[in-house]
Amino acid sequence: MIIARQAPRRRGRPTADESLAREQAVMEVAAALFEHHGFAGVTMAEVARRARISKTTLYARYPDKPALFRAICSYACRVPAYRFAAVATEGREPEAVLADFAVAIAEATADPAADRFLRLVIFEARRFPELAGQILLESRDVASPLVEWLEAMAREGRLSSHDPALLARQFGALVTGGHDGLLQCSEEESGKRIASAVALLRPLFRHEKDRHG
C-alpha cells in the first residue's frame, strides 16, 4: 500500500509546489485505499488520517467520496501524459515515430496508477456511469500529440486519406490489445502488439523521399 510521506509543514500559506505535493499525496493515499478496499470500503475519515490532513481540509477540496473517486480517476489519466509529449517527431520517418508512440501507449497502459483505476472504473461502472465518458475524453486529451502528428502528416500529403483522430484511437487499440491486453500484459505480448500495430499502419505513410520523387 502506498503511504504518502509529506515534508514538515511550515507556517503560512503553502506555495504552489507544496499544494501540488499535498494533493498528490492525498491522491496516492486514496488510490491505495480504493485499490485494496473498493469504493464501498473506504471512508473520507480514513483517507484524511492516512494523508495526515484534517477532514475539514479534505472536504474543502473534495465535497464527498464520489468527488474524490472521480478526481483520482482523472489524476490516473493524467499520469502518463508526459510520455506522449516526450515523443520526438520532427525530421523522423513515420515508422520510428509510430514505434515511439506505441511504446508510450504501452507504458501508459502498464502504469500501475492507470491500470488499477481502469479496472476500478470498469467494476464501478454502474455506480459511476459518467466516469467512462470522462476517462475517454481525458485519455484522448493525453494522446493529442499523436493525433496532432497524424494531422501534420496528412497536411503534408504523407498520410493516406484517413481521419487522424480515428486512426490514433485504432492504433492505440492495436497496441493495447483490447480485452486481451487486460488479461495478458506481459512484456513479450506487449512487444508483439507494438510490432504488429506499427506494421499495419506503415503502408498508410509515404516516406519523405518518395513524396519528392
Side-chain angles (χ1 to χ4, degrees), residues 92-99 149 153 158 205-208:
R92 303 179 68 204
E93 288 297 339
E95 184 174 350
V97 177
L98 282 173
W149 173 69
M153 290 290 98
R158 299 184 63 190
F205 290 86
R206 297 179 63 188
H207 289 270
E208 183 69 16

Side-chain angles (χ1 to χ4, degrees), residues 161-192:
S161 181
H162 289 277
D163 179 341
L166 179 58
L167 189 61
R169 294 197 295 272
Q170 292 173 331
F171 182 65
L174 289 169
V175 172
T176 59
H179 290 98
D180 287 352
L182 289 174
L183 298 172
Q184 191 173 25
C185 53
S186 68
E187 289 188 11
E188 181 181 359
E189 285 299 318
S190 180
K192 290 179 180 178

Side-chain angles (χ1 to χ4, degrees), residues 13-89:
R13 189 173 182 177
T15 66
D17 287 343
E18 288 172 338
S19 296
L20 181 62
R22 291 179 189 178
E23 181 179 5
Q24 183 173 340
V26 172
M27 292 288 99
E28 291 178 349
V29 166
L33 289 171
F34 280 124
E35 179 186 6
H36 285 84
H37 303 293
F39 180 84
V42 176
T43 66
M44 294 289 276
E46 179 67 4
V47 173
R49 186 181 73 81
R50 296 293 185 98
R52 299 178 184 177
I53 60 175
S54 69
K55 287 192 291 184
T56 300
T57 299
L58 182 62
Y59 276 109
R61 182 68 179 84
Y62 310 102
D64 51 30
K65 189 166 65 168
L68 176 60
F69 186 73
R70 293 187 187 96
I72 292 172
C73 291
S74 179
Y75 171 74
C77 286
R78 296 195 305 269
V79 166
Y82 74 92
R83 292 190 173 98
F84 289 84
V87 174
T89 60

